[in-house]
Amino acid sequence: MANNQSVRRHLDAFTRGRIIGKLEEGRSVTSVAADFGIAHSIVSRLWRQFQTTGTAIRGFSSGRPRGTTPADDRYIVLQARRNRRQTAGEIARHTTQATGRPISRFTVDRRLHGGSLFARRPVRCVPLTPAHSRRRSLWCREHRNWRDNEWGRVTFTDESRFSLSSDSHRILIWRERGSRNHPSNIIERDMYGGRGVLVWGGIMLGSCADLHIFDAGSVNGTRCCNEILLPYVRLFRGAMGLQFLFMDDHAPCHLTVAAEQLLESEDIERMD
């Protein structure tokens, strides 16, 4: 049977014609199948095809017709670019309603890939107000000509909160390759739900402080003085001398009266 199936798959047009010729001579299907060494069912189907269509030549199809038109394809891509957080299923429903033809999410996937749009996780960043941007731009312009010996005086410090649970919520966006950091592909967010840890760190040219992990609870001015300024920043000040500059992130705990008084008493200059 395996050999017969193999012959059927490779039955050329000339052999098909010979089989039909013998059948037209009055030969039986069984005897013709035996002559050619193929299954009875193959000859029987070939004979029925000839009687129905008038030809024994195997027809060839160009494949399944496309379910969307070029205009539909452009509409699908346009939807994804207007709202990059839509799922393929949502785009399929909108397109079906607009065209009146059923379109599956798998078709939408293929059309979006054809339009160079792929499902990726969005970049997340801390939101900045226009005032933040102006102040940062001004600070950069004021210090753009500083040299290594000037930057070597500065200790940069910052606190970062790390979430212990995922914040992705399986949110994906449609974007082109190489456009990861484009504004349309970024989600601004500065609050993360769930448990997390707050970590402080400090760096300067050629050196860095040990990371400090805060215990549970909020960080106020007193904790900032006892856990950061006294054990870490004061040591940097002692090593660098009067030329030392302290750069913090202007978090509320750094702007308390207690923190300001400690910096003044230790003769630590804060960089604006």
Side-chain angles (χ1 to χ4, degrees), residues 7 38 52 81 146 234 237 239 245 267:
V7 172
I38 58 178
T52 303
R81 286 185 171 142
W146 274 34
R234 185 171 61 173
R237 162 65 176 80
L245 288 176
D267 201 16

Side-chain angles (χ1 to χ4, degrees), residues 3-44:
N3 292 335
N4 289 341
Q5 289 178 344
S6 177
V7 172
R8 178 194 169 196
R9 286 197 299 269
H10 298 89
L11 211 59
D12 56 46
F14 179 72
T15 303
R16 288 168 176 264
R18 290 178 59 202
I19 292 173
I20 295 300
K22 291 182 178 295
L23 291 172
E24 286 184 319
E25 292 174 356
R27 298 276 302 276
S28 68
V29 172
T30 302
S31 63
V32 173
D35 287 349
F36 287 89
I38 58 178
H40 179 282
S41 60
I42 296 175
V43 177
S44 178

Side-chain angles (χ1 to χ4, degrees), residues 78-246:
L78 182 62
Q79 284 190 85
R81 286 185 171 142
R82 284 178 173 173
N83 183 0
R84 294 177 180 267
R85 299 192 199 181
Q86 287 189 99
T87 65
E90 291 171 341
I91 295 176
R93 286 193 295 273
H94 295 159
T95 307
T96 297
Q97 293 172 358
T99 63
R101 297 187 305 276
I103 296 174
S104 72
R105 66 181 183 87
F106 303 105
T107 298
V108 170
D109 271 334
R110 290 192 294 270
R111 300 301 178 264
L112 292 177
H113 293 170
S116 300
L117 290 172
F118 303 89
R120 298 290 186 269
R121 292 186 185 275
V123 174
R124 298 181 182 274
C125 71
V126 177
L128 296 178
T129 65
H132 289 150
S133 300
R134 286 194 298 271
R135 287 197 295 268
R136 291 184 178 207
S137 178
L138 177 61
W139 189 91
C140 291
R141 289 196 297 269
E142 289 176 347
H143 299 88
R144 63 184 175 183
N145 294 322
W146 274 34
R147 299 183 180 277
D148 287 351
N149 61 325
E150 293 171 295
W151 288 117
R153 303 164 46 204
V154 184
T155 293
F156 295 90
T157 66
D158 192 16
E159 296 90 20
S160 295
R161 181 171 294 278
F162 294 88
S163 176
L164 299 181
S165 59
S166 172
D167 69 308
S168 68
H169 303 295
R170 300 182 66 84
I171 294 175
L172 299 177
I173 61 170
W174 297 103
R175 67 171 175 83
E176 299 84 351
R177 287 192 175 98
S179 63
R180 182 174 185 270
N181 293 316
H182 190 275
S184 63
N185 299 329
I186 295 176
I187 294 180
E188 292 187 344
R189 183 176 181 180
D190 60 355
M191 298 295 292
Y192 295 91
R195 297 172 56 245
V197 294
L198 185 64
V199 180
W200 175 92
I203 61 171
M204 62 189 307
L205 285 180
S207 183
C208 65
D210 294 333
L211 293 178
H212 177 78
I213 300 176
F214 290 95
D215 292 333
S218 60
V219 179
N220 53 25
T222 301
R223 291 191 66 183
C224 176
C225 293
N226 294 335
E227 298 185 41
I228 300 300
L229 298 181
L230 288 174
Y232 296 104
V233 177
R234 185 171 61 173
L235 293 181
F236 275 110
R237 162 65 176 80
M240 293 294 299
L242 294 176
Q243 60 180 347
F244 174 75
L245 288 176
F246 172 55

